[in-house]
Structures are given as structure tokens and as C-alpha cells.
Amino acid sequence: MRPNTKRLEDLMHNIEQLAERLAALAPLPGIDSAQLSVARFAIENVLSKEFTPWTREVLKTPFKIPDWSKDLNPDKIKIYELLIEAANMKLAQVLKLFLPFLEAVLAFPPPFEYAKASVWGEWQAKENAILCLRPPGKRGLPLSVFHDVFREFQLQVNKALPQTDEGASFLESAFKLCSVMGNRFESENERSAAFQECVQPYFTWESKERSVFTTSELCSDLVDVHLMEESVVTIIREDKIELGDGNDAYMQASRAYQLYVSSLQDGKSPLLEHGAPTFLLTIQGPMLLVSGGFYDGKSTIVEPLTHPCLMLPDYSHKRQEDLARQLFALRQGITIIAGLASQKGPMLPPFTPATPRIYQSFTRPSGIEELGLRFVAPLEHHPLMFLASTTGNASDSPNILVKLVIGGYGEKVHQILASSGFAPAFYGTKRIEGAPTAIVMECLQPPLIDRQGTPGWLTLSDFTKHEGSAQHKGSIRIALDNLLGALRENWMVHGDIRSNNVMLKVDSACAPCMDEGGHVYLKVVDFDWAGTSGEVRYPIRRNESIAWPAGRGERILVGHDRQQVELWWSKLHWHQ
């Protein structure tokens, strides 16, 4: 139900009736006078068209039947209770009429308002903000791990333009854009028309207001959308006349996409099963930016897919060629999105929000592919690590950890240490071009305080904070030395053995678990810098407040891991 003039009149009529019924309660003996005063104040707010959550709570609170005096006439009691019942019924009726107006006030602003820094700055601080990297903390997973259309777009952008008639047509459109979009335009509509004319052979645009973005959210806006067959929205476009007009087309398009998702939810669209992948195209003066939008079941996620492109002339033709590649990749991508509506087959399995969707199997070190990888939940405080399980797992609890790696990972070191019991079991990997590599390993769960006293794993830095940790210092150091010996024996390095990367198995009382020989169970994690001695280097971006055995960019050598352990071991604070 959406607020309109008729419903506002109904609300005001009923609020006046409520005031009359509250006035009838005032003389009643034992009635809560404080509640009456609060209710009258709430009525004044509504009559002033001030719709607040506080008023909602007042309207939700019915008047209670007082403890009547024994001397009171039973007939009067019956009349008084009828008056209270009538007031409560009117409270409920007013609340029902009031809620749509409150929802309208609390709803996100329309896209054209969201483009303003003062507006999006306020709304992006809220819990249900769009995860569009503004501010930087509002970010989701990379779009490449949600849907192949974004991954393939990014791959295509970095490929050479096809040396065909089709490739030549996109290059011609790019040259036209670079010769036109740098002009001064009198209006935003003129700039939009110029862009559309240059790309007309491949993109047909249609302005839509609420016919596409028909949603339970109480706002509307005029949005340029590109429609394909089956009325699937493949691109949402927002234009601004110049770069310095004070409004952000990217934020406006992000909000427009959020509205689009809301409209799909209202219509129970099957596109939501795929995450409603959509391209967002923003033009601000001569600058073009291609972004992507995805809905993960909980959050709206938006991310630039490539660098902004300045549609200006270039004697070397680099800008024109770059623009042509982006347009060509965009055309390829919208074909994929348009096909989602016509896809037939079994429903996709439900996905947990904030987890990847493209990794549905992994390859074991033996080369055997393991199917049925299922992501259960993101690991708290580790945005690229996830609890997972496989369809063959008989247990209800996740027994697998998946780490997404962008860059290097010491798989061989991990496997060698795991074979000696000094690292989580290494189950395999999943490599997909254009996406982070998924490393699948044993999940080292924390201990559980339950009837069984289920043991688990703590970081060494956390373990030392527990009472009595000092008495186990010797046995832990022996295990740590054995781990360092295994690395040296294989001429391998870890590069980042700190107390927060060393895991200790403990019981539910946080005492170390021991094997039959009285040895503690100790494993090291985080193999991002690991490898063969002298073949891997320390990253140039690292925490320089930590003492490292060598400088940024220098080779990591056998012996460095032991040096690093010695640097922090003596500084650990053990509890007696």
C-alpha cells in the first residue's frame, strides 16, 4: 500500500476520531494518564505530518483495563471497558494507515537525490547501504566471483579487438564518441542523445520511469535502460552534463540498480535466482565508467569493472581502442544477461549471501575433480575466507575452509607441512581465469564449550592470554622448532610465521591437547608468501611496524622463518 492524497485524508480523518476517543478516556478512573499524554502528543505529530518511528511505537501500545474499584457500578465498568476497547481499535486502525507514510519517510531517496554527496553520505552510513565502495568500507566480494558475465567482461576488455568487420564497427563508434563527447552541451539530454547516436548500431536505449522500476519503494526516477528480449534490463545508464556538476552519476546508477532489484523482488522475478546481474553505465561529461550490479540475496553490490575511459581524441588512438574494447565487451556481456530469462532447467541451489557462486567444485592434488562444493558462510573478519562443505559430507557442520587468493600462494609448502601435521589438510584448488584462486583446506574450528567438550584450535597469540598458558611454553616451543626444521629440510620458507598465524589445538578448557607422546598439536596457516627459498620475495606492501628479517621486495631465505620466530617469541606475554 502506497501513500497518496486519499490515504492521507483517511489518516487525518481517523487521527481526529482517535483524539475524540482518547478524550472520552480521560475521565475514567484508573486510566494511565501518562500514556494518554504521550498518545495526544503523537496525534499532534501526525496532524503536523511528522511521521517518526516513535509515533509508531505509541500507536502500537494499547490501553490496558485498569484494576477497577470494588465500589464501582458493574454497568459503568462495562461502559468504561467498551470505551477502552473502542480507543484501542481506533489505535490499531490509525497504525495501519500510518505505517505506509512512515515507510515512505524511512525509504531510501530516489536516484537523482542519491547522486548528491550530502544525501548518499548520510544513507551510506546506514546498515542497509549499497555495497558500492563509497565509503570504501561499504564493499562486497569481487563481482567476478558472483557471476561469469562480469569475469568474462573483464577478460574481454583486456583482449585485442577482433580484427573483423564487427571489431571495425566498434572502433568506428569509439572514434565518433571521442570526436563528439568532448564538446560542450547545453543540456544533459543533448549529451545523452549524442552518446546514443554514436552507439546506435549496437545499443538501443529506452527511458523508463516506474514501468521498469515498479517497486514497493516509495520513490521514482527517470532512468535510461537498455532492454533486450523478454524485457530483461541488461544496462542501467545515468548521464551528467559535466564532471564538475556536483552530482555523482555512479552513486545515482547504484541507487537505480537497487530500485531495479526491489522491483524484481516485488514481481518475484526468476532473475533473482541468478543475482540479477546488470551493467551500470555512467557518463559524466566526456568520462565513461562501466560498472556491474549484483544482488546476493541480502545486499546490493556495485563495483567498477574497469578503469574510467575519457572519450577524447588521441593521436596514438589508445583512448579510442580502449573505448572500443569496453563497448565490445559490454555488448558480449548483455547478450549473456539477456539469455538468463530464457534459461530452462532445474532451479539453482540456494546461495548464502556474501559467499561466492562460481566455485562449485575443486581439483584435488591427485587431479580428481571433487563436485558439490557448497559455501556455508563467510569467516568473520576475513572477507575472502569461507566455511564450506561438500555434498558428500555426512556432518551438518562445515568441515572445509575456502580461501580466495589474489596473487601467489605456496601450495607446495602447504602440502609438505600438512603431510607432517604442521598445516591444515590441503584438499585442493579451483582455478578460474579472471577470478581469484580458491584454496580448499581443512577448517580449524575453535573449541566448543559443550557436553562433549569438543576440542578446537586457537591462535598462539590468543592462547597465551589464558590462565596457565606459561606451563606449556616448553612443549609449544619444541613443536615450533620441529615445524621450522621441516621447512629447512625441504628448503622451503613460509615468510610470515607470527603468533597469530600459529594454531594450537586445545580442549574446551583451553588446555593444549596432547598426542600419546605428550606432544602438542601445532599448525601454521597463511601461505600467501610461502615458496622455495630464494624464489619468493617479501611484498613491498606489508606492516612495517613488525620486525622482519629482510627488507621489502627482498628474497625470503631459509633461516628467515627462524629469525622471525626469535624476534617475537621472547616478547610473548604468557599467563601463569
Side-chain angles (χ1 to χ4, degrees):
M1 185 173 70
R2 303 176 192 227
N4 54 31
T5 303
K6 176 63 169 62
R7 292 197 176 106
L8 182 60
E9 290 174 355
D10 288 345
L11 174 61
M12 293 304 166
H13 176 66
N14 278 272
I15 206 76
E16 289 170 359
Q17 290 181 335
L18 176 61
E20 293 171 0
R21 295 191 183 184
L22 294 185
L25 296 185
L28 270 57
I31 200 73
D32 189 336
S33 59
Q35 185 179 0
L36 267 176
S37 297
V38 169
R40 289 193 186 103
F41 186 68
I43 287 173
E44 291 175 9
N45 284 349
V46 177
L47 289 171
S48 301
K49 298 184 177 62
E50 294 180 17
F51 307 109
T52 66
W54 176 83
T55 302
R56 175 188 60 199
E57 298 308 308
V58 173
L59 295 173
K60 284 169 64 175
T61 308
F63 286 87
K64 294 180 180 178
I65 303 293
D67 292 327
W68 304 115
S69 169
K70 293 180 180 178
D71 300 330
L72 204 57
N73 185 300
D75 290 336
K76 283 192 174 182
I77 290 177
K78 186 177 291 186
I79 293 170
Y80 293 162
E81 289 183 353
L82 286 173
L83 288 173
I84 293 172
E85 182 183 354
N88 286 338
M89 288 176 63
K90 186 55 67 175
L91 272 173
Q93 191 174 359
V94 168
L95 175 64
K96 186 176 180 180
L97 293 167
F98 170 83
L99 286 176
F101 292 90
L102 176 63
E103 290 169 2
V105 170
L106 298 180
F108 268 55
F112 74 91
E113 286 288 329
Y114 217 75
K116 300 173 183 176
S118 59
V119 175
W120 72 254
E122 174 188 350
W123 287 88
Q124 285 294 104
K126 298 180 185 292
E127 185 178 346
N128 56 343
I130 304 167
L131 302 183
C132 63
L133 309 174
R134 297 202 74 186
K138 299 295 183 181
R139 66 175 180 175
L141 293 175
L143 291 185
S144 61
V145 307
F146 282 124
H147 200 285
D148 283 335
V149 68
F150 302 121
R151 180 180 62 83
E152 291 175 7
F153 171 86
Q154 291 174 320
L155 288 172
Q156 186 64 57
V157 160
N158 292 311
K159 293 179 181 178
L161 202 64
Q163 301 300 298
T164 61
D165 289 342
E166 186 181 28
S169 296
F170 278 95
L171 189 60
E172 185 62 30
S173 291
F175 268 84
K176 287 180 182 178
L177 286 168
C178 288
S179 66
V180 169
M181 298 305 288
N183 289 330
R184 177 181 178 274
F185 291 91
E186 293 295 331
S187 68
E188 187 177 290
N189 288 339
E190 282 189 16
R191 180 174 289 283
S192 298
F195 176 82
Q196 291 177 186
E197 183 179 351
C198 291
V199 299
Q200 188 64 40
Y202 299 104
F203 303 95
T204 302
W205 304 96
E206 189 174 338
S207 292
K208 290 288 181 181
E209 183 175 17
R210 302 188 64 79
S211 56
V212 171
F213 299 96
T214 302
T215 166
S216 58
E217 291 202 44
L218 301 165
C219 64
S220 64
D221 199 4
L222 191 66
V223 180
D224 289 313
V225 297
H226 181 212
L227 297 178
M228 298 268 307
E229 59 269 15
E230 312 246 356
S231 295
V232 177
V233 176
T234 56
I235 297 175
I236 295 172
R237 202 185 88 232
E238 292 286 2
D239 302 342
K240 297 294 176 190
I241 187 168
E242 287 297 342
L243 285 164
D245 72 349
N247 294 319
D248 188 338
Y250 172 73
M251 296 305 292
Q252 184 168 341
S254 297
R255 173 63 180 133
Y257 174 70
Q258 189 181 47
L259 271 179
Y260 170 56
V261 169
S262 181
S263 73
L264 294 178
Q265 290 171 321
D266 287 352
K268 296 180 173 55
S269 170
L271 284 173
L272 290 172
E273 185 181 337
H274 302 276
T278 308
F279 288 103
L280 312 183
L281 201 62
T282 52
I283 297 169
Q284 201 135 4
M287 188 181 74
L288 177 142
L289 177 65
V290 181
S291 304
F294 190 85
Y295 180 68
D296 73 351
K298 178 183 178 182
S299 300
T300 302
I301 303 165
V302 174
E303 173 195 327
L305 295 174
T306 186
H307 57 271
C309 186
L310 277 174
M311 296 180 286
L312 297 173
D314 179 3
Y315 284 115
S316 68
H317 299 166
K318 288 182 179 179
R319 274 194 286 269
Q320 292 92 329
E321 291 170 0
D322 184 23
L323 178 57
R325 288 196 302 272
Q326 291 195 26
L327 294 174
F328 180 78
L330 188 61
R331 177 63 201 179
Q332 302 292 106
I334 64 176
T335 304
I336 296 173
I337 294 174
L340 295 178
S342 58
Q343 278 189 8
K344 294 181 180 179
M347 287 186 63
L348 295 173
F351 295 98
T352 304
T355 62
R357 298 193 178 193
I358 65 171
Y359 310 97
Q360 297 181 21
S361 66
F362 64 94
T363 303
R364 292 190 175 273
S366 62
I368 296 174
E369 186 176 15
E370 183 82 29
L371 301 175
L373 181 62
R374 181 176 66 89
F375 288 81
V376 176
L379 197 64
E380 192 174 3
H381 306 306
H382 297 277
L384 294 182
M385 298 175 71
F386 308 89
L387 298 175
S389 64
T390 58
T391 51
N393 177 26
S395 171
D396 290 333
S397 61
N399 62 340
I400 288 173
L401 181 73
V402 180
K403 178 176 182 176
L404 299 188
V405 176
I406 302 171
Y409 189 84
E411 292 177 35
K412 188 176 180 182
V413 181
H414 187 158
Q415 291 180 59
I416 287 173
L417 288 185
S419 66
S420 303
F422 290 125
F426 183 90
Y427 296 144
T429 60
K430 182 66 175 182
R431 289 182 169 83
I432 301 176
E433 186 183 11
T437 298
I439 308 295
V440 185
M441 67 187 85
E442 173 191 8
C443 180
L444 303 183
Q445 294 276 24
L448 297 177
I449 302 174
D450 53 18
R451 290 181 181 178
Q452 292 76 30
T454 307
W457 297 82
L458 286 180
T459 66
L460 181 56
S461 59
D462 284 340
F463 172 76
T464 59
K465 299 171 186 175
H466 288 274
E467 186 176 347
S469 62
Q471 63 181 300
H472 303 289
K473 184 176 179 180
S475 57
I476 291 172
R477 183 58 202 246
I478 290 171
L480 194 55
D481 285 338
N482 289 338
L483 184 156
L484 293 168
L487 281 169
R488 185 176 186 86
E489 181 181 340
N490 290 280
W491 211 245
M492 295 289 180
V493 293
H494 181 279
D496 194 17
I497 300 184
R498 291 176 286 141
S499 58
N500 61 317
N501 283 333
V502 176
M503 307 294 292
L504 187 69
K505 190 174 185 180
V506 298
D507 60 23
S508 58
C510 291
C513 298
M514 304 281 188
D515 64 14
E516 294 180 355
H519 304 109
V520 301
Y521 294 95
L522 185 143
K523 298 178 188 284
V524 68
V525 297
D526 197 353
F527 292 86
D528 292 20
W529 304 355
T532 302
S533 176
E535 293 183 5
V536 289
R537 297 175 181 269
Y538 290 103
I540 60 172
R541 187 175 180 271
R542 65 183 185 182
N543 187 349
E544 286 301 299
S545 66
I546 296 170
W548 302 99
R552 292 170 168 165
E554 294 186 10
R555 297 179 189 277
I556 308 176
L557 304 174
V558 161
H560 281 186
D561 289 326
R562 184 173 292 278
Q563 289 177 41
Q564 187 174 30
V565 169
E566 299 300 342
L567 287 170
W568 56 257
W569 179 263
S570 60
K571 298 177 183 177
L572 283 177
H573 297 289
W574 302 82
H575 280 242
Q576 298 300 321

